[in-house]
Amino acid sequence: MTRTLRPLLLALSLGLLGPAQAAWLRDEQLQRLWELGKRDDLALVTQSLRSADAYAAQAMLANDLNDRAAIDRALGLAEACVKQHPEAANCQFVLGTVLSAKAINGGVLQAMRLSGKVFDAWESALRLDPYLFEARIVLQQTYLLLPSMAGGSVPKAEALELAVRSSQPEVAKLLRANLAAKKERWDEVERELLAVKWGDDHSFHGQAMGVWQGLLRHWLKTNEHARARQRMEQLMQQQPQSAVPAFSLGRVAADEGKHDEAIRWYERARGLIGAHTLPIDYRQGLAYLDLGDKEKGRALLQRFVQTPRVPPNNLSDAKKRLKELG
């Protein structure tokens, strides 16, 4: 049972981090506010609207707070979105995302009860809009991560790629990279990612960076620092406004024990697009602790644990370290 529950929780946690960008918001103004992390402005603009985008945005804003009361409010908004706009794919996508947050915050038993509803919502989103690639990617990742007894399915994950091989070839490359990662064919993952044509869709950029980060984690695990550094530097040249390459270079430097350099990269990442989606305070706090600066390390970790929408594993570790620091 434990072998099933751990990947179940991890898979559902993808929903907490899924929409790093915002193409699921159809309105360009709302999309840009979300991408830039301007949550207060987004709340103000959408508070009196009743469109699918407004409901979806309000639900995600509440969901971002990552506490049970806020998630319950988010769920009510997501359900209202589906009820008022039954043909809107983004309502179903957000419903699945909020349900995944509720599952994680409710513990293992609730995760088991809600996992089917999460699948149903994301699958419904794709039926309503086969081009909603955020839903396609997070659904595929969940299929690949879970064992079959919990709803996982490699054939279903493969079918999601096949369905868009012609219509969305760049999305298909990301999906094939995920399939290759499942089989631990890391050179194949790299080839698919290097072949991606970036275009000008910010939401697609966020999803592609997410797959690159998965490959980065593998390289760090296998101590392939030179290779990781080279690719992240190339990504920085291709996408200089994205926070991910700078943050990733900080991860590489920290893994090499170069904590001063890591801190410089994290600081650079802070001023770039998407910085609010990355656990910069957590990683920079660890770097300061490794340098022996407990005061700065503690301050950053304290700020991190109070930040909405952070990776659950990082949050747990940060709380543990703060307890040890006293």
Side-chain angles (χ1 to χ4, degrees), residues 216-228 252 255-256:
L216 173 69
R217 286 190 291 272
H218 164 71
W219 283 335
L220 294 180
K221 185 178 179 180
T222 55
N223 294 318
E224 296 180 75
H225 298 115
R227 189 174 188 179
V252 174
D255 207 59
E256 292 178 308

Side-chain angles (χ1 to χ4, degrees), residues 39-156:
R39 303 302 199 248
D40 291 341
D41 291 342
L42 182 59
L44 182 64
V45 171
T46 60
Q47 64 182 355
S48 61
L49 303 178
R50 293 294 179 267
S51 64
D53 271 359
Y55 275 116
Q58 289 285 341
M60 284 302 302
L61 287 170
N63 190 64
D64 267 4
L65 298 177
N66 265 357
D67 67 68
R68 294 188 182 187
I71 290 171
D72 285 341
R73 293 198 302 274
L75 183 57
L77 288 162
E79 289 174 338
C81 189
V82 171
K83 183 177 180 180
Q84 297 297 322
H85 303 278
E87 299 304 312
N90 58 346
C91 289
Q92 292 286 354
F93 176 57
V94 169
L95 177 60
T97 300
V98 175
L99 283 169
S100 68
K102 187 173 180 65
I104 291 297
N105 279 270
V108 170
L109 293 179
Q110 183 156 275
M112 293 178 66
R113 289 194 298 268
L114 292 178
S115 60
K117 292 183 178 180
V118 174
F119 273 119
D120 288 344
W122 285 334
E123 289 169 350
S124 294
L126 280 181
R127 283 195 296 271
L128 291 168
D129 183 2
Y131 290 95
L132 187 60
F133 58 81
E134 294 93 338
R136 186 174 298 275
I137 290 172
V138 74
L139 182 58
Q140 189 209 44
Q141 290 172 329
T142 308
Y143 279 144
L144 291 173
L145 190 56
L146 288 180
S148 58
M149 64 184 297
S153 172
V154 173
K156 286 184 178 180

